[in-house]
Amino acid sequence: RIASRDSGQSELSSVSSAGRMATVKSFSGAVRLKDVSDFIAPSQACVVSLEPKKDGGEGEGELVRLQSRAGSSAARGPSTSQPASEASPVKVTLNDCLACSGCVTSAETVLLEQQSTEEFLRVLDTKAETKRVVVVTLSSQSRTSLAAHYGLSPLETTSRLCGFLKSLGVDLVLEDNLGRDLALLATLEEFWDKYENGAADTLPLLTSECPGWVLYAEKTHGKLVLPHMSKARSAVATLGSLCKGALPANLGVDPGRIYHCFISPCFDKKLEASREDLKSGEFADLDCVLATTEFHKLLEAKSFDSQGGPTAPFDDIFQGSGTQRTQYSARGSSGGYLEFVFRECALRLKGRDLFPRDQPLPLKVVRNQDFQEISLLADDGKILLSFALAYGFRNIQNIIRRIKQKKMTYHFVEVMACPSGCLNGGGQMKDEGARVIDRKEIVAQLEQLYHHGEVVLRDPRGNPNLGQVETWLGGFKSQKATEVLHTTFHDRTQKTETASTAMMIDF
């Protein structure tokens, strides 16, 4: 379990199956693993089976090998106990982790070491020797949270953060709108293809932007849910593939020299960054993920001046450095998937815009504010489209129950693990002293700031970079486009069948 931390270093201990203890230090002081009750309650043991595959004979205390995707060279901290027999070692990778906090492992520590403010600063300090190009992408949700904290507008926040980061040696500071626009367009075409071709067995289409939801679906429901998951990459995963593909070509550098850091509203993006499916060749699309709170700690440590510090226009992969002075957003602060896909499908079915583009869709609250729906009816009253959004695991369970009982009536569901969506992500700023009952009011304020008057609402197809992206991909229907814009999911439920303690959902 990853939670915010006020200050200081943290020390973790991992206990091997033989009972030996190894102490691991040195990762970002802004985060730690902690038994907290957010959505998935902590287990008493790891949900991944640690039963070794025996080569022969009986033995206890077999080696548990904890590996990161980056390989042994990156795993500086972990130590392992010696095997007590010749049994094949158990390998627990970061891709196995469900973030259930059933254990405190070296693998989680490696993850934090690789994706920490200390590692980010180390990369900046060694730029002269390594010749790396450091790119930072600021999520729109993190920008909003920091803007509220510092009392700035979204544009002023980004401008001051850009000036600050470039003073540290960062080469490019991006916003996430290009990745978001491409993810929305890919999701639209994926849904429309299923809908038009009558693929009722794979509807509803469930969005896969949220990494916490993806982990839960893969490791708890597997084959029941995965056919319904949207294969479109998340916004930052899409942008990451462009940073490791198109950007090196534009800069004339090797992809391995690009170091891409993402400022995220949630900690689960760290686990998304570790997925083997999100790589461009041999290189990870996301090298580092820092939650908003972690990034704030870095700002404090480096004496960020929110009122009088340097400002700079932000950058663009295709248009170059210092070219961006206007911010854009899509409707919807958690990606805007329902808003965009429903509008476009309604337009295709009816031949005209049915809803004003400058106003949100008239969603109907079903159970609570985190479960809403909207439908489109034919002239004879037949339901043509039925969409819903389900935020938080209580509402996600209702969706899964309907799928399991074959009583699903929705065609499309926007799914987010966090109640109230991404603006309320676990990595967002938490105003000290704010009461829990005030959280909805805080989120409402963030919603207003997210849609600030100086942030331009833009249709994804209005992004001027789409033509260059299409040229680089060789067309949006090419094999390269499939690799860049889509991902795959895996049924990992068999790994939890022999777990000593079942994963519990805390409602």
Side-chain angles (χ1 to χ4, degrees):
R1 181 73 61 196
I2 301 177
S4 62
R5 179 179 183 166
D6 291 333
S7 62
Q9 288 291 322
S10 181
E11 183 173 297
L12 300 181
S13 299
S14 73
V15 183
S16 72
S17 57
R20 296 179 177 86
M21 182 174 291
T23 300
V24 184
K25 294 183 179 180
S26 182
F27 57 87
S28 174
V31 297
R32 63 173 172 170
L33 301 176
K34 182 184 178 183
D35 178 2
V36 296
S37 178
D38 48 3
F39 303 113
I40 301 178
S43 305
Q44 297 303 310
C46 181
V47 298
V48 179
S49 173
L50 296 182
E51 292 295 326
K53 295 181 180 179
K54 300 291 185 68
D55 290 335
E58 298 295 328
E60 295 182 356
E62 285 79 9
L63 173 66
V64 177
R65 182 172 300 163
L66 298 163
Q67 297 180 336
S68 71
R69 181 184 62 181
S72 59
S73 62
R76 298 186 300 272
S79 62
T80 57
S81 58
Q82 295 299 317
S85 72
E86 295 300 319
S88 299
V90 178
K91 297 180 179 179
V92 181
T93 70
L94 293 178
N95 286 333
D96 294 316
C97 181
L98 185 60
C100 68
S101 79
C103 61
V104 179
T105 68
S106 297
E108 290 167 316
T109 306
V110 171
L111 174 64
L112 295 177
E113 287 179 338
Q114 291 174 333
Q115 303 186 39
S116 65
T117 54
E118 287 83 356
E119 177 66 12
F120 175 68
L121 292 174
R122 186 194 66 79
V123 170
L124 288 175
D125 290 341
T126 58
K127 271 187 63 180
E129 297 80 26
T130 61
K131 308 296 184 184
R132 301 199 79 169
V133 178
V134 179
V135 181
V136 172
T137 297
L138 181 64
S139 71
S140 52
Q141 294 85 8
S142 294
R143 175 197 71 205
T144 303
S145 184
L146 291 169
H149 178 76
Y150 289 115
L152 303 174
S153 70
L155 182 58
E156 187 176 7
T157 300
T158 300
S159 298
R160 293 205 179 277
L161 291 176
C162 185
F164 166 78
L165 288 168
K166 293 197 171 183
S167 72
L168 295 182
V170 172
D171 296 285
L172 295 174
V173 179
L174 310 174
E175 290 211 305
D176 60 355
N177 62 81
L178 177 57
R180 180 186 62 239
D181 291 343
L182 290 169
L184 288 172
L185 291 169
T187 303
L188 168 64
E189 296 307 324
E190 180 184 14
F191 171 76
W192 185 253
D193 182 65
K194 291 177 180 291
Y195 179 84
E196 194 175 37
N197 293 319
D201 57 330
T202 58
L203 292 177
L205 186 69
L206 308 176
T207 63
S208 55
E209 172 72 26
C210 174
W213 151 241
V214 170
L215 285 168
Y216 174 70
E218 286 185 323
K219 302 184 182 180
T220 306
H221 295 286
K223 294 178 181 178
L224 172 70
V225 172
L226 295 187
H228 298 277
M229 300 285 285
S230 170
K231 302 301 187 295
R233 282 192 178 207
S234 68
V236 68
T238 301
L239 188 61
S241 64
L242 294 177
C243 285
K244 293 300 178 77
L247 182 60
N250 292 344
L251 298 179
V253 301
D254 185 83
R257 285 176 53 191
I258 303 292
Y259 180 85
H260 184 203
C261 176
F262 177 58
I263 311 302
S264 167
C266 77
F267 290 101
D268 282 342
K269 285 293 182 183
K270 293 176 182 283
L271 291 174
E272 180 181 2
S274 76
R275 294 178 69 92
E276 287 291 333
D277 305 291
L278 301 182
K279 297 178 69 175
S280 295
E282 61 182 298
F283 305 109
D285 291 333
L286 291 173
D287 299 287
C288 178
V289 174
L290 298 179
T292 311
T293 49
E294 289 180 275
F295 185 56
H296 175 250
K297 291 293 183 183
L298 184 149
L299 296 177
E300 286 189 329
K302 294 295 183 179
S303 302
F304 170 67
D305 185 354
S306 63
Q307 304 301 320
T311 62
F314 45 104
D315 311 310
D316 185 271
I317 291 178
F318 292 96
Q319 298 179 41
S321 177
T323 58
Q324 306 301 299
R325 298 180 182 274
T326 304
Q327 291 176 313
Y328 299 95
S329 73
R331 177 70 66 181
S333 59
S334 295
Y337 288 90
L338 182 149
E339 282 270 353
F340 177 68
V341 177
F342 185 85
R343 288 177 186 273
E344 293 305 312
C345 290
L347 175 61
R348 294 180 183 187
L349 291 171
K350 292 290 190 175
R352 58 188 176 87
D353 276 327
L354 301 177
F355 307 96
R357 291 280 175 172
D358 60 346
Q359 298 178 19
L361 290 173
L363 299 179
K364 175 186 176 183
V365 175
V366 180
R367 297 175 179 271
N368 49 67
Q369 287 295 327
D370 284 332
F371 199 138
Q372 302 183 38
E373 65 180 24
I374 187 171
S375 298
L376 178 69
L377 304 181
D379 294 338
D380 60 1
K382 178 183 178 181
I383 295 178
L384 297 177
L385 294 174
S386 182
F387 280 37
L389 62 79
Y391 294 173
F393 275 101
R394 183 196 301 269
N395 295 320
I396 289 173
Q397 286 299 309
N398 288 326
I399 294 296
I400 292 175
R401 188 178 301 111
R402 294 187 189 188
I403 294 175
K404 187 178 296 185
Q405 296 174 351
K406 301 186 183 302
K407 295 181 178 180
M408 175 55 63
T409 58
Y410 297 123
H411 297 105
F412 183 100
V413 184
E414 179 180 306
V415 183
M416 295 290 161
C418 290
S420 301
C422 295
L423 285 178
N424 192 37
Q428 293 284 72
M429 299 294 296
K430 304 293 189 296
D431 290 342
E432 295 183 6
R435 296 173 298 165
V436 175
I437 59 174
D438 293 332
R439 194 62 197 163
K440 289 185 178 180
E441 182 179 346
I442 294 173
V443 173
Q445 293 172 354
L446 291 177
E447 283 281 355
Q448 291 183 339
L449 194 56
Y450 184 90
H451 296 292
H452 191 277
E454 65 186 18
V455 180
V456 179
L457 185 64
R458 182 178 67 185
D459 186 287
R461 282 164 299 208
N463 193 310
N465 289 327
L466 291 184
Q468 295 183 70
V469 173
E470 184 174 14
T471 299
W472 176 69
L473 293 174
F476 286 118
K477 299 292 185 180
S478 68
Q479 179 60 35
K480 186 175 182 180
T482 300
E483 295 171 357
V484 169
L485 301 178
H486 297 84
T487 187
T488 56
F489 305 107
H490 310 279
D491 180 4
R492 306 183 196 274
T493 54
Q494 70 277 6
K495 298 192 177 203
T496 67
E497 289 175 357
T498 58
S500 59
T501 303
M503 184 182 71
M504 304 294 292
I505 301 298
D506 179 9
F507 289 148

